[in-house]
Short mmCIF file of all heavy atoms in Angstrom, two decimals:
data_model
loop_
_atom_site.label_atom_id
_atom_site.label_comp_id
_atom_site.label_asym_id
_atom_site.label_seq_id
_atom_site.Cartn_x
_atom_site.Cartn_y
_atom_site.Cartn_z
N ALA B 50 5.41 -1.29 13.33
CA ALA B 50 5.57 -0.89 14.76
C ALA B 50 4.34 -0.05 15.10
O ALA B 50 3.94 0.81 14.31
CB ALA B 50 6.85 -0.09 14.96
N THR B 51 3.81 -0.28 16.28
CA THR B 51 2.53 0.39 16.61
C THR B 51 2.67 1.49 17.62
O THR B 51 1.74 2.26 17.81
CB THR B 51 1.51 -0.65 17.09
OG1 THR B 51 2.05 -1.32 18.21
CG2 THR B 51 1.17 -1.65 16.01
N LYS B 52 3.85 1.59 18.30
CA LYS B 52 3.98 2.69 19.25
C LYS B 52 5.44 3.06 19.38
O LYS B 52 6.34 2.33 18.94
CB LYS B 52 3.42 2.32 20.61
CG LYS B 52 4.07 1.13 21.30
CD LYS B 52 3.35 0.82 22.60
CE LYS B 52 4.05 -0.27 23.41
NZ LYS B 52 4.16 -1.53 22.74
N ALA B 53 5.66 4.23 19.99
CA ALA B 53 7.02 4.77 20.09
C ALA B 53 7.96 3.76 20.73
O ALA B 53 7.62 3.07 21.71
CB ALA B 53 6.97 6.08 20.88
N ASP B 54 9.17 3.72 20.17
CA ASP B 54 10.30 2.86 20.62
C ASP B 54 10.10 1.37 20.29
O ASP B 54 10.98 0.57 20.55
CB ASP B 54 10.52 3.01 22.16
CG ASP B 54 10.90 4.43 22.53
OD1 ASP B 54 11.59 5.07 21.74
OD2 ASP B 54 10.47 4.87 23.61
N ASP B 55 8.97 1.00 19.69
CA ASP B 55 8.80 -0.36 19.18
C ASP B 55 9.79 -0.60 18.05
O ASP B 55 10.03 0.28 17.24
CB ASP B 55 7.38 -0.55 18.59
CG ASP B 55 6.41 -1.09 19.63
OD1 ASP B 55 6.82 -1.31 20.78
OD2 ASP B 55 5.25 -1.37 19.22
N LYS B 56 10.31 -1.82 18.01
CA LYS B 56 11.16 -2.20 16.87
C LYS B 56 10.45 -3.31 16.11
O LYS B 56 10.11 -4.34 16.69
CB LYS B 56 12.52 -2.69 17.37
CG LYS B 56 13.43 -3.17 16.23
CD LYS B 56 14.71 -3.81 16.75
CE LYS B 56 15.75 -2.78 17.08
NZ LYS B 56 17.07 -3.36 17.37
N GLY B 57 10.23 -3.06 14.82
CA GLY B 57 9.71 -4.12 13.96
C GLY B 57 10.86 -4.84 13.29
O GLY B 57 11.87 -4.22 12.95
N SER B 58 10.71 -6.15 13.08
CA SER B 58 11.78 -6.87 12.43
C SER B 58 11.21 -8.07 11.64
O SER B 58 10.19 -8.66 12.08
CB SER B 58 12.85 -7.35 13.42
OG SER B 58 12.23 -8.20 14.38
N ASN B 59 11.87 -8.38 10.56
CA ASN B 59 11.43 -9.51 9.75
C ASN B 59 12.47 -9.77 8.66
O ASN B 59 12.97 -8.82 8.03
CB ASN B 59 10.09 -9.20 9.09
CG ASN B 59 9.52 -10.38 8.33
OD1 ASN B 59 9.81 -11.52 8.62
ND2 ASN B 59 8.66 -10.09 7.35
N LYS B 60 12.84 -11.01 8.43
CA LYS B 60 13.76 -11.39 7.39
C LYS B 60 15.05 -10.61 7.43
O LYS B 60 15.68 -10.32 6.39
CB LYS B 60 13.13 -11.20 5.98
CG LYS B 60 11.86 -11.97 5.76
CD LYS B 60 11.28 -11.76 4.39
CE LYS B 60 10.00 -12.47 4.17
NZ LYS B 60 9.43 -12.20 2.84
N GLY B 61 15.53 -10.26 8.58
CA GLY B 61 16.79 -9.52 8.74
C GLY B 61 16.66 -8.01 8.67
O GLY B 61 17.61 -7.28 8.90
N PHE B 62 15.47 -7.54 8.29
CA PHE B 62 15.20 -6.09 8.26
C PHE B 62 14.71 -5.63 9.63
O PHE B 62 14.01 -6.38 10.31
CB PHE B 62 14.14 -5.79 7.22
CG PHE B 62 14.58 -5.97 5.77
CD1 PHE B 62 14.39 -7.20 5.17
CD2 PHE B 62 15.12 -4.94 5.08
CE1 PHE B 62 14.78 -7.37 3.84
CE2 PHE B 62 15.50 -5.12 3.75
CZ PHE B 62 15.33 -6.34 3.14
N GLU B 63 15.07 -4.38 9.97
CA GLU B 63 14.62 -3.81 11.23
C GLU B 63 14.27 -2.36 11.03
O GLU B 63 14.86 -1.69 10.15
CB GLU B 63 15.73 -3.88 12.29
CG GLU B 63 16.10 -5.24 12.77
CD GLU B 63 17.15 -5.16 13.85
OE1 GLU B 63 17.81 -4.11 13.98
OE2 GLU B 63 17.32 -6.16 14.57
N ALA B 64 13.35 -1.84 11.86
CA ALA B 64 13.07 -0.43 11.88
C ALA B 64 12.53 -0.10 13.27
O ALA B 64 11.75 -0.87 13.83
CB ALA B 64 12.06 -0.03 10.81
N THR B 65 12.94 1.03 13.81
CA THR B 65 12.50 1.47 15.16
C THR B 65 11.69 2.72 15.06
O THR B 65 12.06 3.70 14.38
CB THR B 65 13.70 1.72 16.05
OG1 THR B 65 14.45 0.48 16.14
CG2 THR B 65 13.25 2.09 17.47
N TYR B 66 10.56 2.71 15.72
CA TYR B 66 9.60 3.84 15.73
C TYR B 66 10.17 4.92 16.65
O TYR B 66 10.21 4.76 17.88
CB TYR B 66 8.28 3.33 16.28
CG TYR B 66 7.07 4.23 16.20
CD1 TYR B 66 5.84 3.67 15.94
CD2 TYR B 66 7.14 5.59 16.45
CE1 TYR B 66 4.66 4.45 15.94
CE2 TYR B 66 5.99 6.37 16.42
CZ TYR B 66 4.74 5.80 16.16
OH TYR B 66 3.64 6.57 16.15
N ARG B 67 10.68 6.01 16.08
CA ARG B 67 11.28 7.08 16.87
C ARG B 67 10.37 8.31 16.85
O ARG B 67 10.31 9.05 15.86
CB ARG B 67 12.64 7.49 16.29
CG ARG B 67 13.65 6.36 16.19
CD ARG B 67 14.35 6.16 17.49
NE ARG B 67 15.42 5.20 17.39
CZ ARG B 67 15.81 4.38 18.38
NH1 ARG B 67 15.16 4.43 19.55
NH2 ARG B 67 16.81 3.56 18.21
N LYS B 68 9.68 8.53 17.94
CA LYS B 68 8.71 9.63 18.01
C LYS B 68 9.45 10.96 18.06
O LYS B 68 9.01 11.95 17.48
CB LYS B 68 7.81 9.44 19.23
CG LYS B 68 6.60 10.36 19.24
CD LYS B 68 5.60 9.90 20.30
CE LYS B 68 4.36 10.78 20.30
NZ LYS B 68 4.62 12.15 20.62
N GLU B 69 10.58 10.99 18.75
CA GLU B 69 11.26 12.26 18.93
C GLU B 69 11.83 12.83 17.66
O GLU B 69 11.94 14.04 17.46
CB GLU B 69 12.40 12.13 19.99
CG GLU B 69 13.51 11.21 19.62
CD GLU B 69 13.21 9.72 19.94
OE1 GLU B 69 12.05 9.38 20.25
OE2 GLU B 69 14.16 8.92 19.89
N THR B 70 12.18 11.92 16.72
CA THR B 70 12.68 12.37 15.41
C THR B 70 11.68 12.11 14.32
O THR B 70 11.99 12.32 13.12
CB THR B 70 14.00 11.66 15.05
OG1 THR B 70 13.81 10.22 15.16
CG2 THR B 70 15.12 12.09 16.03
N THR B 71 10.50 11.64 14.64
CA THR B 71 9.44 11.24 13.67
C THR B 71 10.03 10.46 12.55
O THR B 71 9.85 10.80 11.35
CB THR B 71 8.63 12.45 13.18
OG1 THR B 71 9.49 13.36 12.48
CG2 THR B 71 7.93 13.16 14.32
N SER B 72 10.74 9.39 12.87
CA SER B 72 11.39 8.59 11.86
C SER B 72 11.13 7.10 12.06
O SER B 72 10.76 6.65 13.14
CB SER B 72 12.92 8.85 11.88
OG SER B 72 13.47 8.39 13.11
N PHE B 73 11.33 6.38 10.97
CA PHE B 73 11.15 4.91 10.97
C PHE B 73 12.08 4.34 9.90
O PHE B 73 11.63 3.78 8.89
CB PHE B 73 9.66 4.60 10.70
CG PHE B 73 9.29 3.16 10.98
CD1 PHE B 73 9.50 2.55 12.19
CD2 PHE B 73 8.60 2.41 10.01
CE1 PHE B 73 9.11 1.26 12.44
CE2 PHE B 73 8.21 1.11 10.22
CZ PHE B 73 8.46 0.52 11.43
N HIS B 74 13.36 4.47 10.11
CA HIS B 74 14.33 4.09 9.07
C HIS B 74 14.48 2.58 8.98
O HIS B 74 14.55 1.88 9.98
CB HIS B 74 15.71 4.69 9.39
CG HIS B 74 15.71 6.17 9.57
ND1 HIS B 74 14.96 6.99 8.78
CD2 HIS B 74 16.34 6.96 10.48
CE1 HIS B 74 15.16 8.25 9.17
NE2 HIS B 74 15.97 8.27 10.19
N LEU B 75 14.55 2.09 7.73
CA LEU B 75 14.69 0.64 7.50
C LEU B 75 16.17 0.30 7.39
O LEU B 75 16.89 0.98 6.66
CB LEU B 75 13.97 0.28 6.21
CG LEU B 75 13.98 -1.21 5.85
CD1 LEU B 75 13.10 -2.02 6.82
CD2 LEU B 75 13.47 -1.41 4.42
N GLU B 76 16.56 -0.80 8.10
CA GLU B 76 17.96 -1.23 8.05
C GLU B 76 18.06 -2.74 7.87
O GLU B 76 17.18 -3.48 8.26
CB GLU B 76 18.68 -0.84 9.37
CG GLU B 76 18.81 0.62 9.61
CD GLU B 76 19.52 0.95 10.87
OE1 GLU B 76 19.57 0.10 11.79
OE2 GLU B 76 20.05 2.08 11.00
#
Side-chain angles (χ1 to χ4, degrees):
Chain B
T51 57
K52 61 184 187 298
D54 299 325
D55 266 3
K56 178 186 277 189
S58 61
N59 185 26
K60 299 181 182 178
F62 291 90
E63 292 183 343
T65 301
Y66 189 144
R67 301 278 187 211
K68 192 167 183 297
E69 64 276 12
T70 54
T71 61
S72 64
F73 192 55
H74 305 320
L75 182 69
E76 295 182 337

